Amino acid sequence: MPVSPFRQPPSAGHGHRNAPRKGFGHGGSGVLTAVEPGNTSQPGIATPGLMTPGYPGYVAPTPPPPPVPGLVQQVKGSSVAEYGLHSVEITTTAGDGILVFAGWDRASLPSAAPTPAVYVSDSAGNKWYHLVTSDSDNSGARCSIWACPNARPVEWVSVSLTGYAGSLAYLVAEMDTLPSLIVPDVSVSASPSGTRLNTVTVNATVVAGEPAFALMAAGNSTAALSSPPSGWDALETVTAGAGGVDSVAIFPYLIPSTSAGTLTATWDTSTSTPLCAAIATVEADPSPPAQPNPNFPVLAVEMGF
């Protein structure tokens, strides 16, 4: 009986019934090459259906962004149509630094109504340092950055508005590389009043080696970045509100260590909306503050005979 070209004959030294059966894969033109059972591909040969790199339908996956140096965790917070305090739960490690990036919108209020600011506190009563807040003349969007160095462990962080805002979005970020003493160095902001924009830029002259923080707030939660700031590490985007008037989106960034010269952050958005932005830096290795009172501390000595 003729032997089928697609049936493997018994291997020498093996019983016909117990010999492992082999399949066949594509080799050169007109050649069938044996492959081991269970092996569905060969080196350099694409496997249909598995989207391997040689397959015509293969699309390379987008690699995840590189980790931000020193970043331990990020927690988002948001509220809508609210006065006063709002908080999020976060558990931090003793000695780490904590940052808050906040943005808010109150565009539906009368123009004569004051634009609120924000203050930050936490469950451990740590001292918070205000780094920068954009101008109040832009009612469509306002933003602020705060820092807490060498913090005692916290269980929650609160961001408190000083008045009504249609929406508030903020990010709490724990970092283990923040200086143990905060001495603000540079703080600049851009807050075009009464204007709907697609781009906003902030420039600052900085020295080398300082941590830098940047934040943009858009007065519309549907705004998306078409071009992020170049050379900055992105943090989480946070939104509040359902879009349109009185909603907000924030886009925070940082640089662990600056280069001397002009530091620029430019945000391009897909939606024309009120925008504001800010940059702040802190000294990398600040000296402890000097005591201005020459009589402090007072040493008193008493002697009795």
Side-chain angles (χ1 to χ4, degrees):
M1 182 178 68
V3 177
S4 169
F6 298 101
R7 176 176 296 176
Q8 179 184 342
S11 301
H14 293 81
H16 177 67
R17 294 183 180 274
N18 297 326
R21 299 182 63 84
K22 296 179 180 288
F24 291 89
H26 292 284
S29 175
V31 178
L32 293 176
T33 56
V35 297
E36 295 297 329
N39 184 4
T40 59
S41 64
Q42 295 184 64
I45 304 298
T47 304
L50 296 184
M51 304 296 279
T52 52
Y55 192 61
Y58 174 78
V59 177
T62 302
V68 177
L71 183 64
V72 177
Q73 62 174 318
Q74 304 175 74
V75 176
K76 299 179 180 181
S78 63
S79 66
V80 177
E82 189 171 344
Y83 291 90
L85 179 149
H86 191 271
S87 62
V88 292
E89 294 182 354
I90 180 173
T91 302
T92 62
T93 301
D96 282 357
I98 313 172
L99 297 167
V100 165
F101 301 83
W104 57 101
D105 184 350
R106 42 125 287 175
S108 63
L109 290 178
S111 59
T115 301
V118 295
Y119 287 91
V120 181
S121 62
D122 61 57
S123 59
N126 289 300
K127 180 174 176 59
W128 285 82
Y129 294 81
H130 170 252
L131 300 185
V132 64
T133 297
S134 63
D135 293 339
S136 62
D137 56 357
N138 183 345
S139 63
R142 198 176 189 191
C143 61
S144 186
I145 304 175
W146 291 70
C148 174
N150 195 24
R152 292 186 293 270
V154 305
E155 297 177 353
W156 52 260
V157 171
S158 73
V159 178
S160 302
L161 288 159
T162 60
Y164 177 83
S167 56
L168 167 68
Y170 61 95
L171 180 73
V172 182
E174 180 185 1
M175 299 194 68
D176 60 13
T177 55
L178 204 64
S180 59
L181 177 66
I182 291 293
V183 176
D185 189 9
V186 173
S187 62
V188 294
S189 66
S191 186
S193 176
T195 305
R196 293 182 176 273
L197 305 170
N198 286 93
T199 185
V200 62
T201 298
V202 184
N203 297 303
T205 301
V206 300
V207 299
E210 293 188 344
F213 315 103
L215 175 63
M216 188 270 278
N220 190 328
S221 63
T222 63
L225 288 185
S226 55
S227 178
S230 176
W232 292 78
D233 293 324
L235 301 179
E236 295 283 351
T237 297
V238 189
T239 62
V245 174
D246 273 347
S247 66
V248 69
I250 64 168
F251 304 88
Y253 287 77
L254 64 81
I255 292 178
S257 181
T258 57
S259 299
T262 300
L263 184 63
T264 299
T266 298
W267 294 262
D268 295 318
T269 65
S270 59
T271 303
S272 180
T273 188
L275 302 176
C276 66
I279 286 178
T281 69
V282 297
E283 294 184 12
D285 188 20
S287 301
Q291 172 53 253
N293 185 352
N295 297 319
F296 183 88
V298 176
L299 179 63
V301 178
E302 296 184 1
M303 300 179 67
F305 297 96

